[in-house]
Amino acid sequence: MGDEKIELLKPKGPAKWNKRSAFILAAIGSAVGLGNVWRFPFVCYENGGGAFLIPYLVAIVTAGIPLMILEFSLGHKMASGAPISFGKAHRKSEWVGWVMVIVGFIITVYYAVIMSWCFNYVFQAVNSLGWGDSPGEFFNQTLLQITDGPGSIGGLSWPLVIGLVLTWGAIYFAIRKGARSVGKVVLLTVPLPWLLLVVMSIRGATLEGSAAGLNYFLNPDWSALLDPGVWLSAYGQVFFSFSLAFGVMITYASYLPRKADINNNAVIISLSDAATSFLAGLTVFATLGFLAQSGHQSVGEVMTAGPGLVFAVYPTIFNQMPFWPGFFAAIFFIMLLLLGIDSAFSLVEAKAEAWITKLGLRRKPTLLVICTIAMLMGLFFATGSGLYWLDIVDNFLNKFGLILGGLFECIVLGWLYGSKKLREYANKQSEIRIGRWWDFLIKYFTPLILIVTFGLDLYRTISEGYGGYPDWAVFVGGWCVVALIFILSFLFSRIRTRKREAADLEGGEADA
Ligand code: PHE
């Protein structure tokens, strides 16, 4: 038997990144997303404006960067997706990885719906600002066909359904060959939206009245710092924005070649994401200042709280732009789309990888099934009550699902497996070295903050509910969803892991 034959039979493992830059771009692509431009500004607004920046920075330093290093070293060392990596680290902890994968799955379901909003806005922008004179009405009535509460489901919005199909088509296309196709797609979807964001920020800063908006963004309201909910939101936002505690970074790191830097990459990726949020904040608030001035209102008044912010408020701004409104509107929403797509496919990739390895499935059919199921589930958020449910689910998943995921991650890896082992592993691989302070953050500091803020906010949510929604809606969309995630995770972790051959040969096939 010749060498060639042996080569063919030998499992090759999942495809790897072909260059270091492919990994960095893909990880930045995953981190930088709607979370920076759509979520960050409204979370910031709801949590005391400028005051939010302080807990946010603290969360970046104490949790964001350290956990990024943690996830990279785990994924790289174990060379597997999240559940199996956790299982290898500690036999009984595979479920922690499944919690991450399932939270990620639900987030992708509504994330794709928001991308579908973007598709519609790009279309309206080139259709000579088709949202007309009152964008708020366009968003709520025409596009979402919003009902009067989560109890009345309403009908499907067809433009949203079409947008959803396009979004899922694009996601499937980008990841069908794993690291190989992702590595190519991100060459476009990462740098381009950045460029567009810079253009938009210059445009925003040069609009009249921008200073008032910036003031609002940068001026702290110190009393907000005493509110544990603000801290919890800050940690939640960092997890969401850095794509941490979703299994994404673990999976992506597992596609790295054996010799690869960990610490340096983690710092580069984290700082790029934080910088993007900051720039997006400047852009959004500067433009809101312009809007406030032209309507003789205060910045606080023109803000629409919640997930509708970028969609209900931004088009008003384009309507009033002195020149090229259609052009700027189109690049703004194209930018959102490009930002979103690589985040969305990183989430799908992380769970696809988990299933493929667990059950020894074939890559392409598995992807097709996952994409189709997620798209069908997304239809629920494309109904008249979709926005309400989206808001509830987003809030609960980020506060409770992610924070708990992050907490268990720290406990399992810091205590049960031993953060020292991972630190030594990361240092052996990397140019910059991390010291004992890292173990301290992973084992004590971050878990403590997470437990305290989680406990306080849990108490508040139980006693006050959330966002003025009826109790039953918060129960169904919030508590039940979180409970379901944990139950499913335990069940999945009990399924026996199949041999990897099938998946490996698939990975090899894609080479041809
Ligand atoms: N980080 C992405 C964003 O900011 C969202 C995301 C979360 C993507 C988790 C992947 C995993 O939009």
Side-chain angles (χ1 to χ4, degrees):
M1 203 157 52
D3 282 354
E4 232 172 74
K5 191 79 174 279
I6 295 173
E7 184 60 27
L8 272 179
L9 290 175
K10 200 173 69 186
K12 290 191 177 168
K16 300 259 185 223
W17 304 113
N18 56 357
K19 300 195 199 87
R20 175 175 176 190
S21 62
F23 166 71
I24 295 190
L25 279 180
I28 293 183
S30 167
V32 174
L34 299 177
N36 305 62
V37 180
W38 159 76
R39 200 169 190 281
F40 177 72
F42 83 74
V43 172
C44 188
Y45 168 74
E46 285 175 350
N47 290 288
F52 184 70
L53 290 181
I54 296 165
Y56 186 66
L57 281 178
V58 173
I60 289 178
V61 175
T62 61
I65 299 176
L67 265 97
M68 187 78 80
I69 296 178
L70 183 72
E71 294 204 351
F72 282 173
S73 16
L74 179 73
H76 194 250
K77 182 159 190 203
M78 308 302 177
S80 321
I84 310 259
S85 290
F86 272 96
K88 284 184 185 165
H90 180 253
R91 207 162 41 84
K92 293 227 165 85
S93 301
E94 189 183 314
W95 62 274
V96 177
W98 285 111
V99 170
M100 299 179 165
V101 169
I102 301 172
V103 170
F105 178 75
I106 304 178
I107 290 191
T108 335
V109 169
Y110 71 77
Y111 205 85
V113 176
I114 301 168
M115 290 180 58
S116 153
W117 301 350
C118 297
F119 260 115
N120 278 279
Y121 272 81
V122 173
F123 177 73
Q124 297 300 340
V126 287
N127 188 13
S128 49
L129 306 179
W131 44 70
D133 293 334
S134 38
E137 230 168 75
F138 170 81
F139 178 66
N140 289 317
Q141 261 77 42
T142 316
L143 188 62
L144 303 187
Q145 298 162 15
I146 202 160
T147 58
D148 52 13
S152 36
I153 301 289
L156 271 180
S157 158
W158 288 105
L160 286 186
V161 175
I162 298 172
L164 204 57
V165 173
L166 291 176
T167 303
W168 278 106
I171 294 176
Y172 174 77
F173 179 78
I175 55 175
R176 72 200 186 288
K177 287 195 187 154
R180 215 166 290 108
S181 52
V182 168
K184 287 188 196 132
V185 174
V186 291
L187 287 179
L188 177 76
T189 58
V190 176
L192 188 60
W194 243 95
L195 206 77
L196 299 181
L197 186 62
V198 172
V199 173
M200 284 306 298
S201 67
I202 297 174
R203 179 72 275 231
T206 50
L207 286 168
E208 244 174 275
S210 58
L214 291 181
N215 225 350
Y216 186 88
F217 178 49
L218 300 173
N219 219 357
D221 156 16
W222 297 104
S223 66
L225 292 183
L226 296 176
D227 179 353
V230 170
W231 287 86
L232 195 59
S233 298
Y235 275 85
Q237 173 63 18
V238 166
F239 282 125
F240 185 89
S241 189
F242 282 31
S243 304
L244 289 173
F246 286 97
V248 171
M249 294 305 181
I250 299 176
T251 312
Y252 272 13
S254 75
Y255 300 156
L256 275 169
R258 283 289 88 195
K259 246 183 86 53
D261 189 290
I262 287 182
N263 299 341
N264 228 350
N265 284 346
V267 173
I268 296 175
I269 292 159
S270 304
L271 294 184
S272 318
D273 184 74
T276 314
S277 285
F278 193 70
L279 186 63
L282 290 179
T283 313
V284 170
F285 281 92
T287 335
L288 286 171
F290 160 74
L291 185 65
Q293 199 202 32
S294 58
H296 304 290
Q297 287 170 306
S298 72
V299 178
E301 280 167 336
V302 293
M303 292 285 285
T304 321
L309 172 67
V310 165
F311 295 91
V313 175
Y314 248 74
T316 318
I317 299 164
F318 295 120
N319 282 354
Q320 300 179 12
M321 274 202 180
F323 60 89
W324 294 3
F327 172 75
F328 284 110
I331 61 171
F332 180 76
F333 289 107
I334 291 177
M335 169 187 87
L336 278 182
L337 267 182
L338 292 175
L339 282 175
I341 185 90
D342 32 29
S343 303
F345 65 60
S346 72
L347 276 168
V348 181
E349 177 64 29
K351 60 187 143 292
E353 165 64 21
W355 279 114
I356 291 169
T357 353
K358 180 91 187 176
L359 301 177
L361 300 172
R362 288 159 53 88
R363 181 173 181 85
K364 284 187 186 168
T366 312
L367 278 181
L368 255 183
V369 171
I370 293 182
C371 292
T372 314
I373 294 180
M375 184 176 77
L376 293 177
M377 288 173 67
L379 290 178
F380 181 64
F381 294 108
T383 61
S385 62
L387 184 63
Y388 303 120
W389 290 108
L390 196 153
D391 189 21
I392 299 175
V393 173
D394 175 68
N395 181 70
F396 271 77
L397 281 191
N398 280 283
K399 280 196 176 157
F400 301 120
L402 271 192
I403 297 281
L404 283 182
L407 180 63
F408 293 135
E409 178 168 40
C410 289
I411 295 175
V412 170
L413 300 180
W415 292 89
L416 300 180
Y417 181 68
S419 51
K420 186 162 170 252
K421 276 190 246 165
L422 285 175
R423 168 164 54 88
E424 282 167 357
Y425 181 80
N427 281 343
K428 191 167 68 59
Q429 295 277 339
S430 314
E431 244 171 78
I432 26 175
R433 299 169 64 84
I434 44 173
R436 288 244 192 86
W437 53 267
W438 184 80
D439 298 51
F440 172 76
L441 289 175
I442 299 288
K443 287 172 77 169
Y444 301 96
F445 190 85
T446 304
L448 198 70
I449 289 209
L450 295 183
I451 290 176
V452 172
T453 51
F454 174 78
L456 291 172
D457 202 71
L458 184 67
Y459 173 73
R460 187 166 63 189
T461 312
I462 290 176
S463 50
E464 292 168 21
Y466 167 71
Y469 293 105
D471 286 343
W472 68 268
V474 174
F475 179 73
V476 175
W479 301 115
C480 288
V481 171
V482 174
L484 193 70
I485 290 171
F486 281 91
I487 296 171
L488 286 179
S489 307
F490 281 113
L491 293 180
F492 286 161
S493 66
R494 307 207 67 106
I495 301 176
R496 232 186 68 231
T497 306
R498 291 282 193 81
K499 284 209 176 124
R500 302 209 37 172
E501 264 83 44
D504 288 338
L505 283 177
E506 259 289 297
E509 252 169 41
D511 259 340

